[in-house]
Amino acid sequence: MGKEASEVLSIDGREVHVTHPDKLYFSSQVRATKLDLVRYYLSVAPGALVGIRDRPIVLKRFVNGAEGEAFYQKRAPAQRPSWLRTVTLSFPSGRTAEEIVVDDAAGLAWIVNLGCIELHPHPVRSSDLDHPDELRIDLDPIPGVSWDDVRRVALEVKAFLEDVGLRGWPKTSGSRGMHINVRIEPRWTFTEVRRAAVALSRAVERRAPTLASSKWWKEERHGVFLDYNQNAKDRTTCSAYSVRPLPDARVSTPLDWPEVPDCNPADFTIFTVPERFAKVSNPHAGMDAAPGSLEQLLELAAKDEVAGLGDAPWPPHFRKMENEAPRVAPSKAKSAANRPRAKMPLIVVANSSDKTAALAGLERWKAKHSDVAGLLAIDDVLVDSMRGRSSTWTRIRVNLRHVPEDVRPKQETPDPDDDPTREWREARTKRKSEGTSNS
């Protein structure tokens, strides 16, 4: 076998080998190689390191490029440079993992060489893994919601944060939404930070009820969802200057607030952001200078509880929490009078590890059922990012609540129908069945 192609980079006195430097990581709309990606990150390293330095990081690896399937690697690779340090994190499941901590440009280049197109740091510092120093506000628009609405909700968040004595630092998500990070004093637990995020989400929904939603269940959402659960322990979001696996190699880009009303996320790619960074530097450079307090948000959370608003639903793999609302979608819940379930008429139209393929399947379904598609509201299309054992996949469902019963399409075989969890779920069901029959 021939020797593996590689390029050696000298970065601040350290050598980093970029293997297969000419391998295309983006090829459908723009063309960029692995080495192009590494060089992009080095060009913005001072900004990217603000978001990840001294933080354990989950390695989300796209070993076959942006068009390929990604997988999450929490544990640090056994073969790694001696100058890369690690810390041991514990998770809600009770398991632990030794995760990489990136402190410099060489470490950044090294993880990008592993196929880490995106950067996914935890909101804690290595010296205190139990107390986050960052509140993360993820503005996630439902399908069909305009970018203008996302910007309007971001400005509502800014105004509310100022009312409670906090400063938000906005950035494009690099996809359809926006992130607002808040530097906080590391005095509160993950549970308390999430509780503050729930209160914030509900408060913004009250300020802009037609634009913003704090509802966890997709069938209840409208407009822009403020995803408070991004503050639960073990959840990560892409950090500043992260490249996203979209065809145009888009970047999650830090902004100054005056830029928000007129910004266009498509303007920020690996080809444009280095020049922007060279001209305006990093709008988030001062984020660490003045951490804020969550006391006013937690006081608001206490008032909500007195008013009857208990805890909001947690992600499904977390244990049931005290005072948490029933962790079941409203369409599947039984009423207080124990009446039969009021089941929403949901059908699955696509399952795929490739979101683009799933969305193409949705368009084929709409073309096939054009009369029905014209009756759907924006929030009747539910695009779910599902977590498998080590990767994510996309499920698309359609709510037929606005379609007369006599013309509702039946559940058909989804197109495509690639559910990567089906095999192990069926195997688990079989094991349970066999265990019951043997008992």
Side-chain angles (χ1 to χ4, degrees), residues 34 41 72 84 100 102 106 140 145 166 207 305 352 373 418 427:
K34 181 197 279 192
Y41 271 112
Y72 290 92
L84 264 178
I100 289 284
V102 173
D140 183 12
V145 170
L166 294 170
R207 293 172 70 112
E305 290 170 9
S352 180
D418 174 23

Side-chain angles (χ1 to χ4, degrees), residues 216 235 314-319 327:
W216 172 252
R235 299 297 288 264
W314 288 68
H317 61 286
F318 282 73
R319 64 177 177 81
R327 197 179 295 178

Side-chain angles (χ1 to χ4, degrees), residues 361-377 398 400 402-404 407-409 412:
L362 169 64
E363 294 307 313
R364 288 192 294 271
W365 183 91
K366 287 182 176 180
K368 181 178 179 181
H369 303 285
S370 56
D371 292 344
V372 171
L375 300 174
L376 301 177
V398 171
L400 301 173
H402 293 119
V403 180
V407 296
R408 288 176 182 171
E412 304 166 341

Side-chain angles (χ1 to χ4, degrees), residues 73-328:
Q73 181 176 337
K74 292 183 178 180
R75 289 170 174 77
Q79 300 297 320
R80 60 181 184 270
S82 59
W83 41 264
L84 264 178
R85 63 190 179 102
T86 63
V87 293
T88 300
L89 270 72
S90 60
F91 302 107
S93 63
R95 297 180 180 180
T96 61
E98 187 180 12
E99 294 196 6
I100 289 284
V101 178
V102 173
D103 294 311
D104 53 31
L108 175 59
W110 189 83
I111 65 171
V112 175
N113 178 61
L114 294 180
C116 296
I117 295 177
E118 301 177 329
L119 307 176
H120 280 260
H122 290 272
V124 292
R125 304 286 184 172
S126 64
S127 60
D128 187 350
L129 301 176
D130 296 318
H131 298 91
D133 71 338
E134 191 166 84
L135 172 70
R136 295 174 173 177
I137 303 164
D138 182 4
L139 305 184
D140 183 12
I142 69 170
V145 170
S146 72
W147 175 245
D148 283 344
D149 284 349
V150 175
R151 291 183 295 191
R152 291 188 185 101
V153 174
L155 294 173
E156 288 288 351
V157 172
K158 175 182 183 291
F160 175 74
L161 287 171
E162 291 171 350
D163 288 346
V164 294
L166 294 170
R167 177 173 178 180
W169 301 80
K171 66 183 180 72
T172 62
S173 72
S175 184
R176 298 180 58 249
M178 187 170 286
H179 298 158
I180 302 170
N181 293 340
V182 180
R183 186 65 75 242
I184 58 173
E185 300 163 0
R187 295 165 43 197
W188 295 275
T189 65
F190 277 92
T191 300
E192 290 169 322
V193 173
R194 178 190 171 278
R195 183 167 175 251
V198 171
L200 181 147
S201 300
R202 288 169 171 169
V204 173
E205 182 179 37
R206 288 192 286 265
R207 293 172 70 112
T210 63
L211 293 175
S213 173
S214 66
K215 304 298 187 294
W216 172 252
W217 301 108
K218 291 192 176 183
E219 62 193 51
E220 291 189 304
R221 293 181 196 170
H222 65 274
V224 179
F225 171 51
L226 289 91
D227 190 355
Y228 55 85
N229 270 330
Q230 294 294 8
N231 294 278
K233 190 172 185 179
D234 194 25
R235 299 297 288 264
T236 61
T237 57
C238 69
S239 60
Y241 296 101
S242 282
V243 182
R244 305 307 301 275
L246 297 178
D248 58 356
R250 200 170 293 189
V251 171
S252 179
T253 305
L255 304 169
D256 284 316
W257 278 112
E259 296 181 284
V260 170
D262 299 313
C263 71
N264 182 345
D267 291 341
F268 307 119
T269 71
I270 63 172
F271 307 104
T272 62
V273 168
E275 182 179 358
R276 168 185 164 86
F277 187 82
K279 288 181 178 179
V280 304
S281 191
N282 178 23
H284 290 190
M287 186 185 293
D288 292 336
S293 170
L294 291 182
E295 290 177 357
Q296 290 191 58
L297 275 178
L298 292 173
E299 289 173 4
L300 179 59
K303 291 179 181 178
D304 283 346
E305 290 170 9
V306 171
L309 284 174
D311 197 1
W314 288 68
H317 61 286
F318 282 73
R319 64 177 177 81
K320 182 70 174 178
M321 301 293 180
E322 185 179 356
N323 298 323
E324 181 186 353
R327 197 179 295 178
V328 59

Side-chain angles (χ1 to χ4, degrees), residues 349-351 355-367 396 414-416:
V349 301
N351 293 316
K355 185 175 181 179
T356 301
L359 291 171
L362 169 64
E363 294 307 313
R364 288 192 294 271
W365 183 91
K366 287 182 176 180
I396 298 182
D415 171 28

